[in-house]
Amino acid sequence: MAIQQLTEEQIQTWTRAQKDEWWFKNIFRGDMPQLTLRSALTGFLLGAVLAATALYVGGKTGIGIGVGLTAVILSFGLFRALHASGLAKDYTILENNCTQSIATAAGYVVAPLYTSLAAYMLITGRIIPWWQMIIWMAVTSILGVLVAFPMKRRFINEDQLPFPEGRASGVVLDALYMGDAATGVFKARLLTLVAGGTALYQAVVSDGWMKLIQFKILRMDQWAGMKEPWHLHERLDTYYYQAAAKAEWWIPKILGTDFRVLGLRLTLDAAMIGVGGLMGIAIATSCLLGAFINFVILAPMMIQLGDIAPRVSPSGALVPLSRAEIVNQWSLWWGVTIMVVGSLTSLLAKPELITSLFKGKKKGAAVASTGPDLLAGIEVPLWISYVGVPVFSLLGAWVTHLFFGVPMFLALISLPLIFVLTVICTNSMALTSWTPTGALSKITQFTMGAIDRTNPASNLLPAGMTSEIASNAANLLSDIKPGYMLGGKPRHQAIGHIIGIFAGLLACVPLYFLLFLPADANGVRSVSTLVSEQFAMPGALQWKGVAELIARGFNGFPTSALIAMAVAAISAIVIEVLRIVTKGRFPLSAVSIGLGVVLPPESVFAMWVGAMLFWVMGLRHKSVSSPGHRIWVEGCEPICAGLISGAALMGIGNSIVNVIMN
């Protein structure tokens, strides 16, 4: 059934009261269940699982993955199956929408764990206690919700802005429940099958799962004499290097540097293949270009020149060269430069994101009436925001000062800047589905850093607040858009969003310590484990690089690094200008090139393989009536979600198994 919407003329000429009356009479489904116990519980549990996968992927790639449509498909498939078996009534369309709101909030709340908070720990060497993480993230996330609701009436009710990502969820929900339900069942089965197959593969390449099966269950160490469990190597080139060591075969090198030192490995990483499928061929190719320039061309040259060299750790031990050392010693600086300059150029090239906030009604628009508010009983009362925003702002400034040592006056003066940038970010989400949190957080970082260069927390944490508040405000409004389209109660979605915040925090903060800050044999945790071969933490490295740049200026950089940064800045401007002039047809992205610099090359290549796979299959199956189109084009997101969730959940399980068995 086609979703009803106002015409452009009605949007421009009707008052908000008229629009609210039209929505109340034509769209609102007042009697349909929405935030029920089962939708809240399903959203909480599903949100916890999807937040864990988001944390896993974020630690690997620094990319925040959207989980809204995945939650929609899983919820639909689950309750359609329960209904068919007679165990439960089928979900209503609004219950599903509420579930995806909860799950989406859970997925987005974890971002500081692999960005600003991780960067703070890397710089200070201090592990933030788990309870401080939860309190700080909860306060800033709820502040984002409180900031969002006064904007909801302007952006959604009055201006009827598109929110493309939210609208896509609304269209999918409408198609599932009001159209061809078989399509939804097919996508749910596709996601489940891919996730199951991926989980099986991930178990076979995991040392913990194989040790559990072979030693604890099958007891092969006793009757077969096995000393080490067998498992398939995820890095496929391991088999070549093992044979080469025995037969003295050729070891590939560039300018005398071993491929393995440069991080040039061939890895079959299912999660990264799924991420690549979602990001598309253009972005994945830009990432691959950045990785090629850095690790194939520049890094070997800098090693030969001596600008990248083995160093001595504070304990006196020699730290050999590795991909992480290459990034930290030299590559990080030009990678961060091209990302920051590229994102700021892209933001400044869209002045309408700022100017549209201050545009009034067009000439001829009706004057708003002062009649009774039809939506007073279903909207979130504005007094909650008017009271809650000042209270939570002061609370956020206080906990930032108390937990991280940010001077109270700096935490307070950052708040107006945070709110202005949040409004810009939300407007961007409304128009483009693009949230420029990276660019906006860097504005806060540089502004606070100009005031206090001595304390990295003074720029990292206010910028982290910017990112978290803006992300929650923008994503809440994007979640409310499908509810508005389908006739849901915004008050229920706001409550659902807060449920999702706590679902994500309660699931992922303990998981964070398990995955990224595991205790050693003596029970001691160290920030040195935050960045590893498995988890590159590129998001945290970018934030750390900007904070260090603010603190040290350009003093102490090798000349080659300064030249690379200057070239990167100019290249970023040129690339983004070309994207603007060609209206997005220019295939490269400066931000994505920089991401390829800080990511492991093996992950970048796996992402590119995934993107190339779906791009080629999309070209081969253009006919919408073909089975291939149904699988590879319409099923792209379920397949990618299955790859990511299957690999992530088994990877997380492998870490848990290793901790228990050790």
Side-chain angles (χ1 to χ4, degrees):
M1 183 178 75
I3 296 175
Q4 297 184 65
Q5 57 186 345
L6 294 173
T7 66
E8 187 63 33
E9 181 181 357
Q10 289 169 329
I11 293 172
Q12 296 299 330
T13 58
W14 282 14
T15 65
R16 192 174 76 199
Q18 289 174 308
K19 295 169 185 173
D20 287 348
E21 182 179 3
W22 171 85
W23 180 85
F24 189 79
K25 292 179 177 179
N26 295 280
I27 308 297
F28 180 52
R29 297 171 174 174
D31 298 329
M32 181 176 285
Q34 180 171 344
L35 183 59
T36 59
L37 179 61
R38 65 175 186 170
S39 69
L41 182 60
T42 303
F44 187 92
L45 297 176
L46 191 57
V49 172
L50 294 177
T53 66
L55 178 64
Y56 183 88
V57 173
K60 279 181 167 287
T61 68
I63 299 171
I65 58 172
V67 297
L69 287 177
T70 302
V72 166
I73 294 169
L74 286 175
S75 300
F76 174 83
L78 172 64
F79 278 91
R80 186 55 57 97
L82 290 175
H83 176 68
S85 62
L87 296 176
K89 290 183 179 180
D90 198 6
Y91 244 17
T92 69
I93 189 172
L94 293 184
E95 282 182 303
N96 194 319
N97 180 59
C98 202
T99 295
Q100 73 90 15
S101 292
I102 296 170
T104 301
Y108 280 112
V109 77
V110 303
L113 293 175
Y114 55 81
T115 54
S116 56
L117 294 182
Y120 171 82
M121 288 188 280
L122 287 172
I123 288 178
T124 62
R126 169 183 172 253
I127 295 178
I128 303 170
W130 65 268
W131 58 272
Q132 291 185 5
M133 288 184 182
I134 290 178
I135 291 174
W136 185 82
M137 292 169 67
V139 169
T140 53
S141 298
I142 293 172
L143 184 53
V145 174
L146 294 169
V147 170
F149 266 91
M151 294 189 288
K152 183 262 179 187
R153 300 193 184 202
R154 163 70 191 275
F155 288 157
I156 294 180
N157 294 34
E158 185 169 358
D159 291 348
Q160 302 277 314
L161 294 182
F163 286 94
E165 188 174 309
R167 180 170 178 77
S169 292
V171 170
V172 170
L173 279 166
D174 183 69
L176 292 178
Y177 287 89
M178 303 300 169
D180 182 13
T183 300
V185 173
F186 171 76
K187 289 183 177 180
R189 286 176 178 170
L190 189 61
L191 192 157
T192 303
L193 287 172
V194 173
T198 304
L200 180 61
Y201 162 75
Q202 198 66 35
V204 174
V205 299
S206 299
D207 57 342
W209 287 115
M210 290 296 97
K211 187 175 183 179
L212 174 66
I213 293 170
Q214 295 169 31
F215 286 5
K216 298 298 181 182
I217 298 177
L218 300 179
R219 302 288 182 180
M220 295 177 69
D221 55 329
Q222 297 178 11
W223 59 266
M226 290 179 63
K227 295 190 188 235
E228 291 292 332
W230 173 89
H231 66 90
L232 187 70
H233 289 289
E234 194 173 36
R235 283 176 167 165
L236 302 179
D237 58 3
T238 299
Y239 297 104
Y240 174 83
Y241 286 116
Q242 288 176 343
K246 295 177 181 178
E248 297 184 353
W249 292 349
W250 170 73
I251 301 297
K253 298 179 180 180
I254 300 176
L255 296 179
T257 302
D258 194 313
F259 268 31
R260 290 168 290 183
V261 172
L262 297 168
L264 301 175
R265 309 296 301 268
L266 182 60
T267 303
L268 185 58
D269 190 327
M272 295 302 97
I273 291 174
V275 171
L278 291 177
M279 68 170 41
I281 189 64
I283 295 176
T285 300
S286 293
C287 289
L288 186 66
L289 177 62
F292 181 85
I293 292 172
N294 186 67
F295 293 102
V296 176
I297 299 174
L298 295 180
M301 292 172 58
M302 294 307 111
I303 292 172
Q304 196 172 56
L305 290 173
D307 285 350
I308 301 174
R311 62 181 178 85
V312 178
S313 70
S315 63
L318 183 67
V319 180
L321 281 182
S322 64
R323 183 206 63 84
E325 280 293 306
I326 290 169
V327 171
N328 285 325
Q329 287 189 33
W330 194 87
S331 304
L332 177 65
W333 307 112
W334 83 265
V336 166
T337 299
I338 198 169
M339 280 192 280
V340 171
V341 174
S343 59
L344 290 176
T345 303
S346 179
L347 177 64
L348 294 174
K350 295 183 175 71
E352 68 274 7
L353 298 181
I354 301 172
T355 58
S356 63
L357 295 174
F358 307 102
K359 288 180 180 178
K361 283 284 184 183
K362 290 186 178 181
K363 186 176 180 180
V367 179
S369 69
T370 57
D373 185 359
L374 288 174
L375 309 186
I378 58 176
E379 291 275 16
V380 175
L382 289 180
W383 68 263
I384 292 179
S385 287
Y386 296 153
V387 173
V389 167
V391 170
F392 273 81
S393 296
L394 291 174
L395 183 60
W398 181 69
V399 296
T400 301
H401 164 69
L402 183 66
F403 295 165
F404 308 112
V406 176
M408 190 66 180
F409 83 96
L410 279 180
L412 288 172
I413 66 174
S414 70
L415 291 174
L417 180 61
I418 287 172
F419 294 137
V420 171
L421 299 180
T422 299
V423 172
I424 296 171
C425 183
T426 306
N427 194 46
S428 174
M429 181 68 153
L431 297 174
T432 67
S433 277
W434 172 59
T435 51
T437 49
L440 296 177
S441 62
K442 298 304 172 281
I443 293 174
T444 311
Q445 264 194 282
F446 283 113
T447 303
M448 295 298 103
I451 300 173
D452 181 10
R453 294 180 57 183
T454 60
N455 182 7
S458 295
N459 67 74
L460 275 173
L461 275 304
M465 288 180 68
T466 302
S467 181
E468 188 71 351
I469 293 169
S471 174
N472 272 278
N475 287 297
L476 172 59
L477 292 185
S478 185
D479 287 344
I480 285 177
K481 179 67 177 182
Y484 182 85
M485 294 164 58
L486 301 170
K489 296 178 181 178
R491 188 177 297 184
H492 284 192
Q493 285 188 270
I495 297 170
H497 199 86
I498 293 175
I499 292 172
I501 288 171
F502 285 99
L505 291 176
L506 293 176
C508 288
V509 170
L511 182 61
Y512 187 77
F513 281 83
L514 179 66
L515 290 179
F516 306 110
L517 296 167
D520 61 16
N522 299 316
V524 178
R525 302 180 191 273
S526 169
V527 298
S528 63
T529 60
L530 271 175
V531 180
S532 63
E533 285 299 314
Q534 184 180 9
F535 298 107
M537 281 285 180
L541 291 179
Q542 182 188 357
W543 283 68
K544 171 177 174 283
V546 172
E548 290 180 340
L549 180 61
I550 291 169
R552 65 192 280 192
F554 293 102
N555 296 327
F557 281 104
T559 302
S560 59
L562 294 175
I563 294 172
M565 291 166 69
V567 173
I570 296 170
S571 300
I573 295 172
V574 171
I575 289 170
E576 293 306 317
V577 168
L578 286 172
R579 282 169 60 86
I580 295 163
V581 170
T582 61
K583 297 182 179 180
R585 289 191 296 272
F586 187 71
L588 298 181
S589 161
V591 176
S592 301
I593 291 173
L595 184 62
V597 175
V598 295
L599 278 172
E602 57 193 309
S603 296
V604 174
F605 184 71
M607 289 191 297
W608 182 82
V609 169
M612 177 61 71
L613 172 65
F614 283 95
W615 181 66
V616 170
M617 297 307 289
L619 292 177
R620 290 187 59 186
H621 302 286
K622 288 185 177 181
S623 174
V624 295
S625 60
S626 66
H629 187 276
R630 191 183 187 202
I631 294 173
W632 293 103
V633 179
E634 296 177 12
C636 174
E637 181 154 330
I639 291 174
C640 293
L643 288 168
I644 293 168
S645 58
L649 294 177
M650 289 302 288
I652 292 167
N654 186 65
S655 299
I656 296 173
V657 168
N658 275 323
V659 169
I660 293 173
M661 294 187 66
N662 292 332

